[in-house]
Amino acid sequence: MRIVRATDYLDMSRKAANIISAQVIIKPESVLGLATGSSPVGIYNQLVEWYNKGDLDFRNITTVNLDEYVGLSGENPQSYRYFMNQHLFNRVNISLEKTYVPNGLELDAHKACIKYDTILNNTGRVDLQLLGLGLDGHIGFNEPNKEFSTTTHCVELFPSTIQANAKFFDSPGEVPTKAYTMGMKSIMSAQRILLIVSGISKGEILKRALTGPITPEVPGSILQLHTDVTVIADEEALSRMGDSNVD
Ligand code: GLP
């Protein structure tokens, strides 16, 4: 695992965007695993900027997203499909039909999850998986649990996650309580993983995920077992880590 220190959110975003750009340039038909939330917004803005300069071509890229709220359609501004369209897909030359997000409108959880796993099987191995880290250590929407999940499944969101994500809604009461998320086994099967973490509020959980015991109680700790993880975190997020752990 490589841990790269960024000065702040902007620096983290540019460094991470550089890694994604390199992936797109070296392998134009890459499968990218993408994430939502506040953390990746700066990355997507940077990728769009470089696309507008003519440096990037997304026409042969396929993307699979980590998760989606149950009950929200892609037209709902709070859905992750809408987020991805707004922040990236509608701003570059990617083919929308090669961008995949779990279907929040399929209320039969079994069907929705099987369908998404079939999509993941068909798209093939993810070349580069982008991840954020939840305040409770979740990745995707894999909340702390007694065991690590495997494939796509439906989760009950923790109150702390609902609270943290309420910033994207008018009130916490509007945040859906369930989501479909890619499982940990699927996330871990990506060839390379890029974890981005920013802000003082993530300091303690980042330290636990990267240096604490590997346990489903801290889902992100499983990344310690992956052979190709790059963590890009800003000074604030790294403030609880010893210098010896960081490049
Ligand atoms: C959300 C998303 C995750 C995201 C995480 C952190 O709940 N499901 O994919 O990485 O929480 O979000 P943020 O970047 O807004 O802190």
Side-chain angles (χ1 to χ4, degrees):
M1 179 180 289
R2 283 172 297 268
I3 306 175
V4 177
R5 183 186 295 279
T7 47
D8 53 19
Y9 178 82
L10 195 65
D11 187 36
M12 175 195 79
S13 303
R14 287 175 62 88
K15 283 180 160 68
N18 265 298
I19 291 175
I20 296 173
S21 297
Q23 178 69 43
V24 170
I25 290 166
I26 290 167
K27 187 177 175 191
E29 69 286 4
S30 290
V31 180
L32 301 179
L34 297 180
T36 50
S38 324
S39 304
V41 170
I43 297 176
Y44 298 146
N45 286 339
Q46 183 62 75
L47 291 175
V48 170
E49 196 182 315
W50 288 333
Y51 166 76
N52 286 333
K53 282 187 179 158
D55 290 347
L56 291 175
D57 183 353
F58 291 86
R59 87 185 65 186
N60 293 319
I61 293 290
T62 299
T63 66
V64 289
N65 259 78
L66 287 165
D67 43 21
E68 180 60 284
Y69 290 113
V70 175
L72 299 193
S73 85
E75 280 81 53
N76 185 315
Q78 271 80 34
S79 72
Y80 284 166
R81 159 55 75 183
Y82 190 94
F83 175 103
M84 289 309 304
N85 287 351
Q86 288 294 107
H87 288 284
L88 184 65
F89 301 152
N90 289 345
R91 301 165 75 197
V92 298
N93 66 336
I94 201 162
S95 308
L96 268 185
E97 64 274 15
K98 284 195 285 192
T99 66
Y100 299 98
V101 180
N103 180 6
L105 274 191
E106 174 56 76
L107 299 182
D108 180 331
H110 181 70
K111 259 196 203 162
C113 296
I114 293 281
K115 174 96 188 292
Y116 204 59
D117 282 336
T118 305
I119 288 169
L120 295 179
N121 282 334
N122 292 343
T123 52
R125 190 174 186 193
V126 169
D127 292 286
L128 179 62
Q129 174 68 57
L130 177 64
L131 292 177
L133 185 68
L135 286 173
D136 58 8
H138 70 238
I139 53 180
F141 263 137
N142 289 278
E143 297 281 33
N145 210 332
K146 293 276 171 271
E147 53 195 32
F148 287 114
S149 65
T150 55
T151 53
T152 306
H153 57 289
C154 184
V155 287
E156 290 278 349
L157 300 179
F158 279 24
S160 60
T161 300
I162 290 175
Q163 191 60 45
N165 288 350
K167 61 190 173 207
F168 298 109
F169 293 77
D170 288 335
S171 72
E174 285 180 32
V175 185
T177 56
K178 289 183 185 175
Y180 296 133
T181 183
M182 211 188 263
M184 300 295 273
K185 190 174 169 199
S186 310
I187 293 171
M188 287 292 281
S189 65
Q191 189 144 5
R192 295 162 70 208
I193 291 182
L194 176 58
L195 175 71
I196 47 159
V197 191
S198 168
I200 197 80
S201 63
K202 302 271 177 80
E204 187 56 34
I205 195 65
L206 180 62
K207 183 182 173 200
R208 286 178 67 200
L210 301 189
T211 64
I214 299 166
T215 163
E217 298 288 350
V218 182
S221 65
I222 201 172
L223 297 175
Q224 294 178 43
L225 297 176
H226 195 282
T227 53
D228 194 344
V229 177
T230 301
V231 182
I232 303 185
D234 64 14
E235 301 271 2
E236 289 191 1
L238 288 172
S239 59
R240 305 298 301 270
M241 302 266 297
D243 276 348
S244 58
N245 299 109
V246 185
D247 286 344

